[in-house]
Amino acid sequence: KIVPVGLPDPPTHVQVEIGPQPGTLLVSWQPVINQPKPPSRAAVHSYLIYADGKNIAQVPQATADHVVLRLSDLSDDPPIFITVRTKTKEGSVSSDSNVARVPRTQPTGVPPPPSVQQQLLGTIDPTTGL
């Protein structure tokens, strides 16, 4: 008798943010918690990260909920979207998670260095502010 293997569920709530270090992306997700009971072989073993449909990383932990990626490791062009899939010990792979768009700009709120501010603002008379 052949027992169907079944596929693992994909992770949910995938998000992409500017990473904690310059030139990085933080990819986070809700790990799969409804793991099937043995002898099912659809239990999650690791997570596969895809950029624009191309596998770029693997996180070998069933309970993982994020990974930090270096943009320099990805490709010449920054990716447009990220998806995450789950993988079983036997190698079966889930369908794609939700699609998360990669942020295009660095976060605002950090002032540029004074030399850049001077270039942006031009010469300012300190007595009049003009």
Side-chain angles (χ1 to χ4, degrees), residues 22-25 68-75:
T24 63
L25 290 175
V68 175
L69 303 172
R70 286 197 322 233
L71 287 171
S72 59
D73 290 345
L74 302 184
S75 65

Side-chain angles (χ1 to χ4, degrees), residues 108-122:
T108 56
V110 179
S115 59
V116 175
Q117 285 180 357
Q118 196 67 30
Q119 291 170 3
L120 295 174
L121 300 175

